Amino acid sequence: MLQGDGEITYLQTAVRNPYACDLSPSGDALLVRSVVRSFNEYGPLWVVPVIGGRPVQVANEAFDGAWSPDGRLIVFAKGAELYRVARSGGDPTLLMKGHAFIWWPRWSPDARNVRFTVTDPTTQKNALWQVDSDGSHQIQLKLGNQF
């Protein structure tokens, strides 16, 4: 991690093959996926404190995830499904089930909705979608080269 003075400090973690998905809004923790075999496979999703402490597993299988603006919730993607879970872990809530691979979810600044990329498995074209943070009102945003 880069310190305020420009010095790099390496984060030690017990999470195997960590891939950083997002930094918490307060900067105190990373959202990390453990790459078990291949980068393109699902892996456990962890909250890893940056100043020491034990990682907390928040999902058994995920591909990508993001912190809510207040840092209390996490949204994560697994296949065509989008979930929400508390920072402390617990049972994830299914927000929506889409029709294709979901990745790169990101909260709106007011936390009212989540935007994410969907990749068509046949054409490999991407589309940007949005869903309300309670899972309602799924819409595709029209942005050009999409399926």
Side-chain angles (χ1 to χ4, degrees):
M1 299 209 51
L2 186 61
Q3 302 289 323
D5 59 4
E7 183 179 338
I8 296 175
T9 302
Y10 292 94
L11 177 66
Q12 299 297 320
T13 179
V15 175
R16 190 173 140 219
N17 299 325
Y19 167 75
C21 298
D22 200 7
L23 176 65
S24 68
S26 63
D28 68 331
L30 287 168
L31 187 59
V32 172
R33 175 173 55 110
S34 179
V35 178
V36 180
R37 288 180 292 278
S38 163
F39 179 80
N40 292 325
E41 294 181 12
Y42 310 125
L45 193 65
W46 301 83
V47 171
V48 178
V50 296
I51 311 279
R54 296 194 124 173
V56 175
Q57 187 174 344
V58 294
N60 291 329
E61 290 187 319
F63 184 77
D64 202 0
W67 294 93
S68 63
D70 66 6
R72 293 184 358 209
L73 297 172
I74 294 165
V75 66
F76 68 91
K78 176 188 168 194
E81 299 172 340
L82 195 64
Y83 292 87
R84 183 182 62 225
V85 68
R87 173 191 179 125
S88 58
D91 291 329
T93 301
L94 178 65
L95 290 181
M96 60 156 288
K97 186 169 177 83
H99 63 283
F101 186 78
I102 296 172
W103 56 286
W104 201 255
R106 292 297 179 258
W107 294 82
S108 62
D110 62 6
R112 291 176 56 192
N113 31 55
V114 176
R115 288 187 177 171
F116 51 93
T117 302
V118 176
T119 301
D120 182 286
T122 305
T123 65
Q124 294 299 301
K125 287 187 178 183
N126 295 322
L128 186 62
W129 282 72
Q130 177 176 291
V131 64
D132 287 356
S133 60
D134 65 0
S136 63
H137 302 105
Q138 301 171 32
I139 60 168
Q140 181 178 355
L141 304 174
K142 301 295 182 187
L143 298 172
N145 185 20
Q146 300 179 16
F147 59 90

